[in-house]
Amino acid sequence: AQSVSQHNHHVILSEAASLELGCNYSYGGTVNLFWYVQYPGQHLQLLLKYFSGDPLVKGIKGFEAEFIKSKFSFNLRKPSVQWSDTAEYFCAVNAQDTGRRALTFGSGTRLQVQP
Amino acid sequence: GAGVSQTPSNKVTEKGKYVELRCDPISGHTALYWYRQSLGQGPEFLIYFQGTGAADDSGLPNDRFFAVRPEGSVSTLKIQRTERGDSAVYLCASSSSLSGGARNEQFFGPGTRLTVL
């Protein structure tokens, strides 16, 4: 079974600060990795995903994430946050080797960007 | 185009009652998922349909929970003898079944907030 840990539960940043949100997963096989975002009053939407190849993936709105296999990590980054990035961010995985589609989510990180 | 829709948006019921939650996936999406999100937690998988059949129901917590998708489109999640611990936001998602399988993006609906008094 897979599990996902997001260590930062609540992050407060000022605009233009750099962002890094941690995500670690536990699974013995190959995984697909996702970051989803939920803006206030909106539903979950995909930021970016990683399956294979270049471990640095770029998503929408200037976000990127780096897969480090040796650390079982998939941290989300953004060089300069904006007030509109205030949202809850969820890391998720599913098993690439079994093809099982169910996503296992972390508990989320609430990001608050102050103007 | 239209996204995933869920009805009702809010449901308040009393302990012991039966509830049905509906999900309308994106047109043409053959894969449909149900998740449950409790306060302060990430979504937790319940069940996955491929077409009309439940391909993976390993996340259903007990036999009070049941879901159907009789025509391969709309799905209904049914909860019998509701308990206070069932209170949560129930999320539905759908994805395309073109090549990609587990890699395909799951598109989420707005959820149904269930409150059991």
Side-chain angles (χ1 to χ4, degrees):
Chain A
Q2 305 122 32
S3 65
V4 177
S5 296
Q6 292 183 245
H7 312 295
N8 316 104
H9 298 293
H10 188 195
V11 173
I12 302 174
L13 294 174
S14 298
E15 276 193 312
S18 64
L19 170 72
E20 181 159 2
L21 301 182
C23 171
N24 287 89
Y25 69 92
S26 173
Y27 182 65
T30 310
V31 293
N32 300 313
L33 294 152
F34 305 82
W35 274 98
Y36 278 84
V37 61
Q38 187 166 25
Y39 297 103
Q42 298 186 27
H43 51 261
L44 280 164
Q45 55 187 281
L46 185 69
L47 264 182
L48 48 78
K49 56 187 178 181
Y50 172 80
F51 311 131
S52 63
D54 188 345
L56 183 64
V57 293
K58 295 191 184 299
I60 60 171
K61 304 188 181 187
F63 285 91
E64 64 180 31
E66 184 176 13
F67 171 53
I68 303 179
K69 188 174 181 180
S70 60
K71 295 185 178 180
F72 297 90
S73 71
F74 190 55
N75 291 356
L76 181 71
R77 300 196 291 249
K78 186 171 184 178
S80 175
V81 295
Q82 300 172 310
W83 177 78
S84 58
D85 293 324
T86 294
E88 189 146 22
Y89 293 81
F90 294 93
C91 181
V93 305
N94 62 16
Q96 189 176 127
D97 48 4
T98 65
R100 185 168 181 260
R101 296 194 181 202
L103 288 171
T104 300
F105 283 84
S107 57
T109 297
R110 187 157 71 94
L111 172 65
Q112 186 177 345
V113 180
Q114 296 177 332
Chain B
V4 177
S5 62
Q6 293 185 246
T7 54
S9 54
N10 278 285
K11 176 71 177 178
V12 180
T13 191
E14 293 179 343
K15 181 174 177 295
K17 299 289 188 184
Y18 168 82
V19 296
E20 289 189 352
L21 311 179
R22 175 189 167 111
C23 171
D24 250 295
I26 292 171
S27 177
H29 280 188
T30 58
L32 185 146
Y33 311 79
W34 284 99
Y35 292 84
R36 174 169 72 172
Q37 186 173 17
S38 301
L39 195 62
Q41 300 297 317
E44 176 190 21
F45 171 74
L46 296 176
I47 187 169
Y48 152 56
F49 287 89
Q50 184 60 254
T52 60
D56 182 353
D57 65 357
S58 62
L60 294 177
N62 52 59
D63 62 5
R64 295 187 298 105
F65 288 75
F66 189 71
V68 295
R69 195 185 184 199
E71 297 177 0
S73 178
V74 170
S75 176
T76 305
L77 179 66
K78 308 181 181 194
I79 310 174
Q80 298 177 321
R81 305 183 304 280
T82 52
E83 300 177 357
R84 291 194 181 88
D86 298 335
S87 296
V89 176
Y90 288 80
L91 297 170
C92 178
S94 70
S95 70
S96 166
S97 285
L98 297 174
S99 63
R103 301 178 175 186
N104 291 339
E105 176 182 354
Q106 295 181 23
F107 294 83
F108 283 82
T112 293
R113 182 176 299 278
L114 175 66
T115 303
V116 182
L117 301 177

